[in-house]
Amino acid sequence: MPPPGVSVVIVNWNTRDMVLRLLGELSAPAEECGHELELIVVDNDSSDDSVEAIRREYPDVTLVAQGENLGFAGGVNPGVEVATQPFVLLLNTDAHTSRESIEAVARYMADCPEVGVVGPQILTPEQVPESSAWRDPSLAWLALAALGLSKLKAFNFERYHEKPFMEAAEVDCVSGCAMMIRRDLMNELGGFDEDYFMYFEETDFCVRARQRGNRVHHAPVGEFVHEGGGTSKTVRLRTFLDFQRSRILFHRKHGGTAAAIAARGLLALGFALRVPPLAALSLTGRSERARGQLALHLNGLAWLANPLGGLVPDVDRSD
C-alpha cells in the first residue's frame, strides 16, 4: 500500500536552470512509486524568466508567481496554502532527488505518527554527508563561535558529531534544504514565521513543533544530494547579514530582549576578533578569500553599530 501523497514545495528566486532540472527529476516516471506527488513552485519575483520557463516546460506544475521577493518563509507559506496532500516536502532548487526517495521519506513518516517533521540525510555531490541536523541554538554556543572555539569538535556541541546517523534518530532541528512536514502541523502552527527572511525559519519551526508535542526525526532514507551554489552565492553580503539577523531574531523570539542583546554583542565580538588576522592575510596579496571575508566582517561590524538599526537590524535588499 503506498504512503500518503506528498506536496513538494519549491521556493525559487533567480535559479531557473536549477528549478527546471529539479522539476525534470521529479517529473520522470517511476514504475515502483504508487504515492501521489504534487509539484508546487513559488517564485519570488525572479528576473531570469523562471516563471515563463516553468509555465512553458512544466504546465502541470502548480506555479505561484509572487510580485516581490518575500524570502524563504514568505515563499513556503503560499506554497503550503495551495498544497492538497497530507505531507509537505520543502525542497531547495539546488537539491537532487527522485520520486522514489520522496516516497521513502513519506513511508517513514506514515509509520511514525508521533513524528511531525522528518529531515533525510543530505549528501554533497561527492556523497559526503552534510550536517543536516542540529541542536537548538544557544548563547553558550554563540560565545564559543565568537572565540573561534566552535571549530573544535569538542566544543561544537550544536552539531550531532557523535551520531553517524546510520539509523533514524530524534533530534532538535533539521535542515530546510529537504524537510518533510505534516500539512496539518503546518496549518496548526501558522506555517513558517515570515519575520525570518532567510535562515533559522526551519529551526524556529522545529522548536515550535516540539513545544506542541511533535517529534523531529533525522532519518537516512532515500537519497537527497545538495549541489550548492544556489541563490545565496549571488548576493553574498546580503545573505551573510541575513544569517546574522536571523540569529539575533531567533534569540529574541525564544529568549527575550536580553538574549537578543547578548547575541548582538557576541556577534560583534566575533567579527572584531576576526578582522586583524583577516587584514594581515589580505595584506599579503595572496588570499582572495581572506579579502572577501574581511569585507564581510567589516560590513557586519558597521551593520551592528548603526544606531538606527534597532535591536534586530534590517538588511538592505534594495538591489
Side-chain angles (χ1 to χ4, degrees):
M1 181 177 177
V6 178
S7 295
V8 181
V9 175
I10 304 165
V11 179
N12 176 64
W13 185 68
N14 290 329
T15 57
R16 178 189 59 193
D17 293 343
M18 286 184 174
V19 73
L20 292 177
R21 184 264 312 150
L22 178 58
L23 292 174
E25 291 177 357
L26 300 183
S27 299
E31 295 181 0
E32 297 182 3
C33 288
H35 77 304
E36 191 168 349
L37 194 68
E38 176 183 45
L39 301 179
I40 301 168
V41 176
V42 181
D43 186 83
N44 268 336
D45 197 28
S46 294
S47 58
D48 64 350
D49 298 321
S50 288
V51 170
E52 293 77 7
I54 294 168
R55 284 175 175 159
R56 180 177 62 251
E57 299 188 30
Y58 297 99
D60 293 334
V61 169
T62 300
L63 177 63
V64 180
Q66 307 208 101
E68 60 181 309
N69 184 0
L70 299 176
F72 186 65
V76 165
N77 290 342
V80 174
E81 285 178 9
V82 300
T84 63
Q85 299 303 312
F87 298 157
V88 173
L89 175 70
L90 308 183
L91 200 58
N92 277 11
T93 59
D94 57 356
H96 293 263
T97 190
S98 63
R99 296 175 67 97
E100 292 90 344
S101 290
I102 293 173
E103 179 172 330
V105 183
R107 193 174 297 281
Y108 178 89
M109 179 166 271
D111 291 341
C112 302
E114 75 282 4
V115 175
V117 181
V118 172
Q121 177 65 68
I122 300 170
L123 306 173
T124 69
E126 295 75 30
Q127 298 295 300
V128 176
E130 282 193 355
S131 179
S132 52
W134 47 84
R135 296 181 174 87
D136 292 339
S138 68
L139 291 174
W141 184 86
L142 195 53
L144 291 171
L147 297 172
L149 296 176
S150 62
K151 295 183 181 296
L152 301 176
K153 186 175 179 179
F155 291 105
N156 192 356
F157 52 80
E158 185 188 46
R159 305 290 168 170
Y160 289 94
H161 289 293
E162 74 280 8
K163 288 183 177 293
F165 288 119
M166 300 303 293
E167 56 186 35
E170 186 169 357
V171 296
D172 288 350
C173 311
V174 293
S175 171
C177 175
M179 178 185 192
M180 189 171 287
I181 308 170
R182 296 183 189 275
R183 184 163 61 91
D184 288 347
L185 177 60
M186 286 288 286
N187 294 333
E188 179 186 348
L189 296 181
F192 276 15
D193 187 339
E194 295 185 22
D195 285 347
Y196 299 92
F197 186 82
M198 285 180 66
Y199 306 113
F200 283 80
E201 58 280 290
E202 81 270 57
T203 299
D204 175 271
F205 186 87
C206 288
V207 171
R208 291 188 289 130
R210 288 176 12 245
Q211 288 172 345
R212 293 289 187 97
N214 292 269
R215 293 185 176 179
V216 177
H217 277 197
H218 184 283
V221 293
E223 182 168 323
F224 294 81
V225 175
H226 186 204
E227 179 181 331
T231 299
S232 62
K233 285 192 175 181
T234 66
V235 281
R236 191 178 183 195
L237 174 60
R238 205 162 69 190
T239 53
F240 176 80
L241 295 179
D242 265 318
F243 187 81
Q244 315 310 329
R245 178 186 181 275
S246 292
R247 272 180 160 173
I248 300 168
L249 180 61
F250 179 89
H251 285 290
R252 191 194 74 186
K253 285 181 173 289
H254 296 279
T257 300
I261 293 172
R264 278 183 60 118
L266 289 170
L267 287 175
L269 174 64
F271 295 163
L273 290 176
R274 281 159 181 75
V275 164
L278 287 171
L281 284 172
S282 299
L283 290 174
T284 67
R286 294 194 299 268
S287 178
E288 183 177 347
R289 184 177 185 277
R291 289 192 292 273
Q293 288 293 311
L294 176 62
L296 290 178
H297 286 79
L298 287 173
N299 275 282
L301 281 172
W303 174 72
L304 287 173
N306 181 2
L308 302 179
L311 180 58
V312 182
D314 285 330
V315 175
D316 182 8
R317 305 186 184 93
S318 58
D319 61 340

